[in-house]
Each structure stands twice: as structure tokens, then as C-alpha cells.
Amino acid sequence: MSNYPPLFDEPHDHKKLEWAAFFTLFIGIVSTTVFSLYLSIKIQKDTLKEFSLQCDQIILKLNDEIQNNQAMLHSVAGFFTSTDNIHRQKLNVYADKIQLLNNKSRIKNISFTKVIKKNQIEALEKEAQAEGFTNFKIRPSGNSEILTPIRYALPESLVNLAVLGFDTSELMLI
């Protein structure tokens, strides 16, 4: 026999101990569940708050970019309306001076359309061809009396050179 005293004096003490253990286990499970739910909700709220803050920062940056680009485009519109004769060299110098198409700007290209009458088509084509745009041709050839062909496009890339001569007044009919 062992020298240790008996663990339970009476048989009903087992039942009390079992209930105490189950009660302790139940309290542990409930408190763990409640704490886990609390943490989950807190993490969701914190994540949503962080996401909202990042969205607000992105919106502010986009609004700044939009305002900068809007100011840039207003400047270009002012240049177009204040200059009687827009020439390729003038437009290139102006675009370089205000850094219109720099890497920071989201403005990737710009074009100048010239308003002409139908009887001025041949003269404008010859003028453009004399400047080095040998394939310049106003298209499509519609029946409109007033045309607005793209005269200049920056930067002078293959894509932009391909649009030279396109009559944008046809787009207004759509």
C-alpha cells in the first residue's frame, strides 16, 4: 500500500470534481470563443480603417494629378487659342517648355485639330506634305463643309503619325 492519503474520501466527491472540471472547461471554451470573436471583429475594423485610409490617400493623389493635368490642358488650350498660326516647331517648343509629356504626367499624347472649309483641303495637305508629312491626307472624305482634321500630334510616334489628317468632325456625328 501507498503512504499517500486517499484522493477522495467519499464516492460522491468524484461527481463534484467532474462537474467542476466540466464547468471549468465550459468557461474556458466560452471565454476563448468570446475573446476570439472580439479579436476577429477588432481585426476587421482595424483592417477596414486602414483600407479606408489608404483609399483616401489614393483619392487625394488622384485628385492632385487630375488638377495638375487639368491645369496643363487648360494651358495647352490657351496656347492653341492665343496663337494664330500653330506650327509644328512652335508646338514642340511649347510642349518641351511646359514638360507636357514628361514621365510624371499622365498625359501621354496631345493633338491639334485645325478647322478648315472643304475648299481648303488641298492647301492644308500640301502644307503638311511640305513639312515632311509626305503621307498626309485628310480622311475620311465626307460631305461636310467644315472639317477638323488632326494637324499635329505629340509625341511624334508611329501611332500618332498615323492619325494625322483624320477628320474628327466625322466623330461628332456619331
Side-chain angles (χ1 to χ4, degrees), residues 97-114:
K97 188 140 186 111
I98 65 168
Q99 297 180 343
L100 179 65
L101 301 172
N102 69 11
N103 291 336
K104 294 177 187 173
S105 172
R106 291 202 186 243
I107 299 171
K108 298 303 175 200
N109 57 46
I110 187 166
S111 61
F112 171 72
T113 57
K114 187 165 186 163

Side-chain angles (χ1 to χ4, degrees), residues 18-32:
E18 282 179 11
W19 280 108
F22 283 124
F23 182 72
T24 304
L25 180 64
F26 177 75
I27 294 297
I29 290 172
V30 169
S31 61
T32 301

Side-chain angles (χ1 to χ4, degrees), residues 5-20:
L7 207 50
F8 303 105
D9 291 337
E10 297 177 26
H12 68 277
D13 284 345
H14 276 288
K15 292 283 185 194
K16 286 182 185 177
L17 191 57
E18 282 179 11
W19 280 108

Side-chain angles (χ1 to χ4, degrees), residues 13 34 36 41 62 67 82 87 95 127 135 157 164 169:
D13 284 345
V34 168
S36 295
I41 291 170
L62 287 173
Q67 287 177 350
S82 68
H87 293 289
E127 177 185 308
N135 295 330
S157 64
L164 294 180
S169 66

Side-chain angles (χ1 to χ4, degrees), residues 103-156:
N103 291 336
K104 294 177 187 173
S105 172
R106 291 202 186 243
I107 299 171
K108 298 303 175 200
N109 57 46
I110 187 166
S111 61
F112 171 72
T113 57
K114 187 165 186 163
V115 179
I116 62 169
K117 294 181 181 174
K118 195 169 191 167
N119 63 358
Q120 297 173 305
I121 291 175
E122 190 176 325
L124 184 66
E125 287 177 345
K126 286 182 180 178
E127 177 185 308
Q129 290 166 359
E131 283 184 17
F133 300 113
T134 54
N135 295 330
F136 187 91
K137 188 99 173 125
I138 296 177
R139 64 198 187 288
S141 55
N143 294 328
S144 180
E145 286 299 315
I146 303 290
L147 297 103
T148 56
I150 297 176
R151 182 63 179 90
Y152 300 110
L154 294 177
E156 290 181 357

Side-chain angles (χ1 to χ4, degrees), residues 58-76:
I58 290 170
I59 289 170
L60 285 174
K61 286 180 183 177
L62 287 173
N63 282 336
D64 283 348
E65 283 187 36
I66 288 169
Q67 287 177 350
N68 290 340
N69 289 340
Q70 188 177 29
M72 188 76 71
L73 292 174
H74 281 298
S75 172
V76 171

